[in-house]
Amino acid sequence: MWTNSSTIHACVLAVFCAVVPGGTYAQAASRAVAAQRPGAHATAPPREELRVPAVRWFTDRPRQYVLLEPFKYVPPQSREPIVVPAGFVTDFASIPTPLQGAFGPSVHDLPALVHDYLYWRQSCSRTQADGVFYAALDVVGVSTVRRMAIRVGLTVGGPTAYRENARERKERLPRVVPSQYLSIPVTTWAQYRKELRNRRVALDPLDAAPPPYCRG
């Protein structure tokens, strides 16, 4: 939710990773193991390594990032993976604005990435997308106090953000940059997004039916 997610996810803990020249973050520095609490989910998948995908940024403030590779996340309530495609644009939401030019996303930002994508796709209801998000916060080890604070913020800001994504889809504003347009000039996402629409870049198609992770 690039217009509203900074408010929604502001309470997520930012654990920063190293930066390499040219706007692509070092993948090796962003590896972390997500340890789930024993018995937290009866159907939870086994412990797995979560890695922040390689990204490149636009010049917006707050910073907007485009994924250079897909990110796959298997929610504990479903064995069906959520695959955020390369080209998806997100703000990750939890990196303080003054530090966004020097630090990149961390494993603690992955729940916000997944949540952004589910709000954009609109295949899950808002309540279902929020449920996936809350479970992901638990998976990556966000504390109970922070999860409670995030839940309060999402209750307030979530409905507006979900509607805003629906409006942007209706206005044919793309959120997934096709591979042939990933050689991005120095520009803002707001400007580049309008350029993509002017070039009649198609939106990613909607799912025919809600995926299993929505119903989980």
Side-chain angles (χ1 to χ4, degrees):
M1 297 90 54
W2 87 279
T3 54
N4 297 288
S5 57
S6 293
T7 300
I8 292 171
H9 300 129
C11 298
V12 178
L13 177 65
V15 180
F16 302 115
C17 67
V19 181
V20 297
T24 300
Y25 293 110
Q27 298 177 25
S30 64
R31 292 182 181 274
V33 175
Q36 296 176 209
R37 296 201 311 267
H41 303 284
T43 59
R47 181 181 300 185
E48 61 181 311
E49 184 177 90
L50 296 178
R51 180 176 58 81
V52 178
V55 297
R56 192 170 295 276
W57 60 78
F58 292 92
T59 60
D60 308 69
R61 290 290 190 276
R63 184 78 78 187
Q64 304 296 321
Y65 300 87
V66 57
L67 272 62
L68 300 181
E69 60 183 0
F71 171 70
K72 184 173 75 171
Y73 168 70
V74 181
Q77 65 268 44
S78 170
R79 296 299 179 127
E80 179 76 14
I82 300 170
V83 181
V84 184
F88 182 69
V89 177
T90 179
D91 62 3
F92 284 102
S94 64
I95 305 169
T97 301
L99 300 177
Q100 288 182 347
F103 297 99
S106 79
V107 71
H108 283 77
D109 297 286
L110 296 179
L113 166 62
V114 172
H115 193 239
D116 276 356
Y117 183 63
L118 294 182
Y119 265 40
W120 169 249
R121 291 289 297 165
Q122 306 270 303
S123 298
C124 300
S125 69
R126 182 180 63 82
T127 300
Q128 290 169 334
D130 291 351
V132 172
F133 176 56
Y134 296 140
L137 292 175
D138 190 14
V139 166
V140 301
V142 176
S143 70
T144 301
V145 172
R146 285 191 171 89
R147 291 202 307 272
M148 291 174 63
I150 292 169
R151 186 180 289 268
V152 171
L154 191 54
T155 299
V156 174
T160 300
Y162 194 82
R163 289 194 299 269
E164 181 70 10
N165 277 270
R167 180 191 64 79
E168 291 175 353
R169 274 194 168 274
K170 187 175 181 179
E171 293 182 1
R172 310 297 297 175
L173 284 168
R175 183 81 178 268
V176 180
V177 180
S179 59
Q180 64 267 34
Y181 294 109
L182 282 177
S183 296
I184 299 168
V186 178
T187 185
T188 66
W189 169 232
Q191 293 171 330
Y192 199 59
R193 196 180 198 189
K194 291 179 180 178
E195 181 180 339
L196 292 175
R197 182 176 63 179
N198 292 340
R199 294 187 182 188
R200 301 187 182 279
V201 169
L203 297 183
D204 46 310
L206 295 175
D207 295 309
Y213 50 75
C214 294
R215 305 188 297 271

